[in-house]
Amino acid sequence: MLYCTAWEQLLKGRLIQDRGEDFIFRKDGRTKGLVECCEAEFKKKSHRVWKNIDAIAELRNMSTHLIMPELGIAYSPLFQAGVINFLKTYTTWTGKEPLPAHAVGLLTLTTGAKTPTAVDLSLKYGKEIGVQVAAIINQVNYQVEADPHPEFAIVVRHQTRFGSGPDVDFTLDELLATDGEVAIIEKARDASGDLLPGQVVEAVNGMLD
């Protein structure tokens, strides 16, 4: 709900700036909704930012009667892309950052979670709801696989290895720079000179002496 409200308010501000305050009102006096604002600004339904907003708006609409924590596994890549889309769009349109520079904790990336099966969900919620939630998860997963561009969904797949040196980190910026292509990072590491956990305290204390 907060995601959709933020986009709706940002879009209305943009439309008022470009087309005047009267543009955001319907004939009955109510303001236009999120879908109408997206249509006016993005023009094409195929616009990936609009596709991302639309997918999350569907989640908001059905959350009034059906929302399960398991859906977070499927929707996490969409929210990850959506937050970055919002920050980029806000900055482009206003020339300002939406949050103070020190406020960097925007989102936790969810990776490696196991997608529940229809059987798992049916055992937990009953057959009717379990099958329905499983169908939603499958549909979202299909959408993500069909359009893995980072403006629609950011999927982070990774392997964690111990290593040393200044080039160990792989940042999200590097993933986005691939413009939707799969980025495979594999760097062999020689761990023979690394300290064992029990030796770290001794080494640090030696440097402090």
Side-chain angles (χ1 to χ4, degrees):
M1 292 177 64
L2 293 174
Y3 177 91
C4 293
T5 299
W7 266 113
E8 184 172 331
Q9 296 305 310
L10 180 62
L11 287 164
K12 284 179 178 177
R14 176 71 169 183
L15 293 171
I16 289 174
Q17 182 183 49
D18 292 347
R19 311 190 192 190
E21 188 171 351
D22 292 340
F23 183 81
I24 68 167
F25 286 92
R26 301 169 178 162
K27 293 181 179 180
D28 61 5
R30 296 181 300 160
T31 58
K32 295 177 179 178
L34 180 58
V35 173
E36 295 165 293
C37 291
C38 286
E39 183 177 9
E41 179 62 33
F42 298 122
K43 304 296 190 300
K44 295 182 179 180
K45 190 74 173 180
S46 59
H47 194 292
R48 286 192 176 95
V49 174
W50 184 2
K51 285 176 63 179
N52 176 272
I53 296 171
D54 189 55
I56 295 177
E58 288 184 9
L59 176 64
R60 176 201 61 180
N61 295 340
M62 72 180 180
S63 67
T64 56
H65 66 277
L66 180 66
I67 186 69
M68 306 299 177
E70 288 82 3
L71 292 174
I73 300 173
Y75 276 92
S76 177
L78 278 74
F79 275 108
Q80 290 166 180
V83 169
I84 293 176
N85 290 343
F86 184 88
L87 294 176
K88 286 183 176 180
T89 303
Y90 186 100
T91 303
T92 299
W93 288 356
T94 68
K96 301 178 181 179
E97 295 288 343
L99 298 169
H102 64 273
V104 295
L106 298 175
L107 190 70
T108 299
L109 299 179
T110 301
T111 64
K114 179 183 177 182
T115 302
T117 65
V119 174
D120 296 330
L121 294 167
S122 296
L123 289 174
K124 186 174 182 179
Y125 300 113
K127 184 175 181 180
E128 182 178 352
I129 294 178
V131 170
Q132 189 175 355
V133 174
I136 295 170
I137 292 174
N138 289 336
Q139 179 185 7
V140 174
N141 288 339
Y142 174 79
Q143 290 177 309
V144 171
E145 292 295 330
D147 190 1
H149 193 282
E151 284 186 345
F152 178 67
I154 294 176
V155 181
V156 181
R157 298 184 177 95
H158 68 275
Q159 291 182 334
T160 303
R161 298 181 180 180
F162 291 103
S164 61
D167 60 338
V168 171
D169 293 334
F170 173 54
T171 67
L172 187 58
D173 288 338
E174 291 176 288
L175 175 63
L176 296 177
T178 64
D179 196 29
E181 298 297 326
V182 175
I184 300 176
I185 307 296
E186 185 172 346
K187 301 175 183 177
R189 299 293 174 188
D190 181 6
S192 60
D194 293 347
L195 296 175
L196 296 174
Q199 298 172 310
V200 173
V201 173
E202 182 180 350
V204 171
N205 287 335
M207 291 185 286
L208 294 175
D209 290 340

